[in-house]
Amino acid sequence: MEFLILEVDDARFGIPTLDVKEIVRAVSLGDAPPQFPNMVGILNYRGQVLGVLDSARMCGRSYRELSPNEHLIILQFKDRLFAMRVDQAIEIMTWTDVDGQTDKPETDGDLVDGTRNAISHPRFGIVHLLDTNKLWSELHLKQDHQPTQEVEAS
């Protein structure tokens, strides 16, 4: 199975190349709807409006201005597209297990240095695997609203 290796700060992430539609240089983004706190902005991608997930939040980093050196990874989940902001896309890696199989690692992934959902890369060390389904869900997670209090009529 092939993974696109992504860099965010000093962390490395891998996403299945089957889920990657395109890699584009970062461009200016429109404002994200306020009810989606994990959406850093919206992107006009070939006439389609896509939500953009800020991968820096996965690393606990606060928002910073978009740099033209960064990449936007256009991802496909089922028949829907969205984008993820990363520092850079590094390379494509083919994963093989100890038996030479190239199937995707199991859902829980291999246990690498105590980290689940990670694989070991000879040059980059631990690469945390990302699930496109979970990223889509994270992008569209709505902000919790406080329940309205009911007032009893007297």
Side-chain angles (χ1 to χ4, degrees):
M1 169 131 215
E2 290 185 331
F3 292 93
L4 175 63
I5 307 299
L6 311 169
E7 183 177 65
V8 180
D9 282 341
D10 291 329
R12 304 293 188 274
F13 296 91
I15 193 151
T17 55
L18 293 174
D19 298 337
V20 177
K21 184 157 178 75
E22 188 173 354
I23 302 167
V24 296
R25 288 275 179 205
V27 294
S28 62
L29 301 175
D31 293 334
Q35 69 267 31
F36 298 107
N38 296 330
M39 193 179 294
V40 71
I42 56 173
L43 169 70
N44 181 347
Y45 174 74
R46 303 186 194 286
Q48 285 186 281
V49 176
L50 306 183
V52 180
L53 180 66
D54 190 355
S55 59
R57 291 183 183 172
M58 293 186 299
C59 298
R61 186 176 74 191
S62 59
Y63 177 79
R64 69 176 184 215
E65 290 298 316
L66 198 61
S67 161
N69 296 328
E70 295 178 27
H71 290 129
L72 296 174
I73 310 301
I74 309 301
L75 298 167
Q76 185 162 355
F77 173 67
K78 297 186 180 178
D79 61 344
R80 298 173 185 215
L81 298 177
F82 68 103
M84 183 171 65
R85 173 186 177 180
V86 300
D87 292 344
Q88 64 177 331
I90 301 174
E91 70 175 45
I92 293 176
M93 170 190 139
T94 301
W95 179 84
T96 54
D97 67 10
V98 292
D99 297 326
Q101 299 297 314
T102 58
D103 295 336
K104 183 177 180 180
E106 294 181 23
T107 306
D108 288 334
D110 296 335
L111 191 59
V112 178
D113 289 347
T115 304
R116 288 220 174 264
N117 294 324
I119 53 179
S120 182
H121 186 283
R123 284 198 335 249
F124 301 123
I126 295 174
V127 176
H128 303 275
L129 301 180
L130 300 175
D131 181 318
T132 309
N133 181 17
K134 289 180 183 175
L135 292 173
W136 173 262
S137 298
E138 191 74 19
L139 178 67
H140 292 89
L141 185 66
K142 288 192 176 183
Q143 187 173 22
D144 291 335
H145 295 287
Q146 295 294 330
T148 55
Q149 289 184 327
E150 293 185 22
V151 178
E152 284 187 29
S154 35

